[in-house]
mmCIF file of all heavy atoms in Angstrom:
data_model
loop_
_atom_site.group_PDB
_atom_site.id
_atom_site.type_symbol
_atom_site.label_atom_id
_atom_site.label_comp_id
_atom_site.label_asym_id
_atom_site.label_seq_id
_atom_site.Cartn_x
_atom_site.Cartn_y
_atom_site.Cartn_z
ATOM 1 N N GLY M 105 -58.399 110.917 -43.020
ATOM 2 C CA GLY M 105 -58.350 112.343 -42.689
ATOM 3 C C GLY M 105 -59.072 113.224 -43.688
ATOM 4 O O GLY M 105 -59.145 114.429 -43.507
ATOM 5 N N GLY M 106 -59.598 112.630 -44.742
ATOM 6 C CA GLY M 106 -60.369 113.381 -45.722
ATOM 7 C C GLY M 106 -59.546 114.102 -46.765
ATOM 8 O O GLY M 106 -60.069 114.909 -47.523
ATOM 9 N N ALA M 107 -58.249 113.820 -46.841
ATOM 10 C CA ALA M 107 -57.400 114.482 -47.828
ATOM 11 C C ALA M 107 -57.665 113.885 -49.210
ATOM 12 O O ALA M 107 -57.533 112.690 -49.396
ATOM 13 C CB ALA M 107 -55.938 114.322 -47.451
ATOM 14 N N LYS M 108 -58.046 114.729 -50.161
ATOM 15 C CA LYS M 108 -58.389 114.241 -51.492
ATOM 16 C C LYS M 108 -57.285 114.524 -52.512
ATOM 17 O O LYS M 108 -56.870 113.644 -53.231
ATOM 18 C CB LYS M 108 -59.695 114.874 -51.965
ATOM 19 C CG LYS M 108 -60.846 114.653 -51.008
ATOM 20 C CD LYS M 108 -61.897 113.783 -51.602
ATOM 21 C CE LYS M 108 -63.107 113.680 -50.723
ATOM 22 N NZ LYS M 108 -63.090 112.627 -49.783
ATOM 23 N N SER M 109 -56.801 115.745 -52.581
ATOM 24 C CA SER M 109 -55.784 116.095 -53.572
ATOM 25 C C SER M 109 -54.396 115.721 -53.061
ATOM 26 O O SER M 109 -54.185 115.508 -51.865
ATOM 27 C CB SER M 109 -55.818 117.594 -53.864
ATOM 28 O OG SER M 109 -55.360 118.328 -52.738
ATOM 29 N N LYS M 110 -53.437 115.662 -53.987
ATOM 30 C CA LYS M 110 -52.057 115.339 -53.610
ATOM 31 C C LYS M 110 -51.517 116.382 -52.624
ATOM 32 O O LYS M 110 -50.856 116.051 -51.649
ATOM 33 C CB LYS M 110 -51.187 115.280 -54.866
ATOM 34 C CG LYS M 110 -49.863 114.633 -54.662
ATOM 35 C CD LYS M 110 -49.162 114.426 -55.992
ATOM 36 C CE LYS M 110 -47.930 113.562 -55.799
ATOM 37 N NZ LYS M 110 -47.283 113.244 -57.054
ATOM 38 N N LYS M 111 -51.848 117.650 -52.872
ATOM 39 C CA LYS M 111 -51.405 118.733 -51.993
ATOM 40 C C LYS M 111 -52.008 118.573 -50.593
ATOM 41 O O LYS M 111 -51.319 118.721 -49.587
ATOM 42 C CB LYS M 111 -51.809 120.078 -52.593
ATOM 43 C CG LYS M 111 -51.289 121.274 -51.845
ATOM 44 C CD LYS M 111 -51.680 122.562 -52.550
ATOM 45 C CE LYS M 111 -51.182 123.773 -51.789
ATOM 46 N NZ LYS M 111 -51.569 125.023 -52.448
ATOM 47 N N ALA M 112 -53.293 118.244 -50.526
ATOM 48 C CA ALA M 112 -53.972 118.050 -49.240
ATOM 49 C C ALA M 112 -53.389 116.851 -48.500
ATOM 50 O O ALA M 112 -53.226 116.879 -47.286
ATOM 51 C CB ALA M 112 -55.473 117.877 -49.434
ATOM 52 N N LYS M 113 -53.061 115.777 -49.234
ATOM 53 C CA LYS M 113 -52.477 114.588 -48.611
ATOM 54 C C LYS M 113 -51.121 114.920 -47.997
ATOM 55 O O LYS M 113 -50.825 114.502 -46.887
ATOM 56 C CB LYS M 113 -52.336 113.468 -49.644
ATOM 57 C CG LYS M 113 -53.659 112.849 -50.022
ATOM 58 C CD LYS M 113 -53.498 111.805 -51.101
ATOM 59 C CE LYS M 113 -54.872 111.285 -51.500
ATOM 60 N NZ LYS M 113 -54.817 110.311 -52.575
ATOM 61 N N LYS M 114 -50.304 115.661 -48.734
ATOM 62 C CA LYS M 114 -48.984 116.040 -48.211
ATOM 63 C C LYS M 114 -49.133 116.903 -46.963
ATOM 64 O O LYS M 114 -48.429 116.715 -45.977
ATOM 65 C CB LYS M 114 -48.176 116.783 -49.275
ATOM 66 C CG LYS M 114 -47.605 115.881 -50.331
ATOM 67 C CD LYS M 114 -46.743 116.666 -51.299
ATOM 68 C CE LYS M 114 -46.160 115.745 -52.346
ATOM 69 N NZ LYS M 114 -45.288 116.439 -53.267
ATOM 70 N N ARG M 115 -50.060 117.853 -47.005
ATOM 71 C CA ARG M 115 -50.296 118.735 -45.853
ATOM 72 C C ARG M 115 -50.784 117.913 -44.652
ATOM 73 O O ARG M 115 -50.320 118.101 -43.535
ATOM 74 C CB ARG M 115 -51.298 119.824 -46.221
ATOM 75 C CG ARG M 115 -51.532 120.853 -45.121
ATOM 76 C CD ARG M 115 -52.431 121.999 -45.538
ATOM 77 N NE ARG M 115 -53.746 121.545 -45.953
ATOM 78 C CZ ARG M 115 -54.226 121.646 -47.197
ATOM 79 N NH1 ARG M 115 -53.522 122.203 -48.137
ATOM 80 N NH2 ARG M 115 -55.426 121.195 -47.500
ATOM 81 N N TYR M 116 -51.701 116.990 -44.890
ATOM 82 C CA TYR M 116 -52.247 116.163 -43.817
ATOM 83 C C TYR M 116 -51.150 115.306 -43.185
ATOM 84 O O TYR M 116 -51.037 115.240 -41.961
ATOM 85 C CB TYR M 116 -53.376 115.274 -44.343
ATOM 86 C CG TYR M 116 -53.951 114.358 -43.300
ATOM 87 C CD1 TYR M 116 -54.797 114.849 -42.312
ATOM 88 C CD2 TYR M 116 -53.626 113.009 -43.284
ATOM 89 C CE1 TYR M 116 -55.312 114.010 -41.334
ATOM 90 C CE2 TYR M 116 -54.131 112.163 -42.311
ATOM 91 C CZ TYR M 116 -54.976 112.669 -41.343
ATOM 92 O OH TYR M 116 -55.475 111.841 -40.379
ATOM 93 N N MET M 117 -50.337 114.660 -44.002
ATOM 94 C CA MET M 117 -49.278 113.809 -43.472
ATOM 95 C C MET M 117 -48.231 114.643 -42.742
ATOM 96 O O MET M 117 -47.685 114.204 -41.731
ATOM 97 C CB MET M 117 -48.641 112.976 -44.582
ATOM 98 C CG MET M 117 -49.548 111.861 -45.095
ATOM 99 S SD MET M 117 -50.204 110.765 -43.802
ATOM 100 C CE MET M 117 -48.756 109.804 -43.407
ATOM 101 N N LYS M 118 -47.964 115.857 -43.221
ATOM 102 C CA LYS M 118 -47.014 116.733 -42.535
ATOM 103 C C LYS M 118 -47.559 117.109 -41.150
ATOM 104 O O LYS M 118 -46.835 117.076 -40.157
ATOM 105 C CB LYS M 118 -46.755 117.990 -43.361
ATOM 106 C CG LYS M 118 -45.722 118.889 -42.752
ATOM 107 C CD LYS M 118 -45.468 120.111 -43.610
ATOM 108 C CE LYS M 118 -44.444 120.997 -42.905
ATOM 109 N NZ LYS M 118 -44.383 122.310 -43.408
ATOM 110 N N GLN M 119 -48.850 117.438 -41.084
ATOM 111 C CA GLN M 119 -49.470 117.783 -39.799
ATOM 112 C C GLN M 119 -49.454 116.582 -38.855
ATOM 113 O O GLN M 119 -49.174 116.720 -37.657
ATOM 114 C CB GLN M 119 -50.906 118.254 -40.010
ATOM 115 C CG GLN M 119 -51.007 119.594 -40.692
ATOM 116 C CD GLN M 119 -52.438 119.928 -41.093
ATOM 117 O OE1 GLN M 119 -53.301 119.067 -41.146
ATOM 118 N NE2 GLN M 119 -52.678 121.198 -41.381
#
Side-chain angles (χ1 to χ4, degrees):
K108 304 247 186 270
S109 69
K110 195 171 189 175
K111 186 177 179 181
K113 287 177 184 178
K114 284 184 179 182
R115 184 175 59 246
Y116 178 75
M117 288 307 286
K118 184 179 178 196
Q119 290 171 343

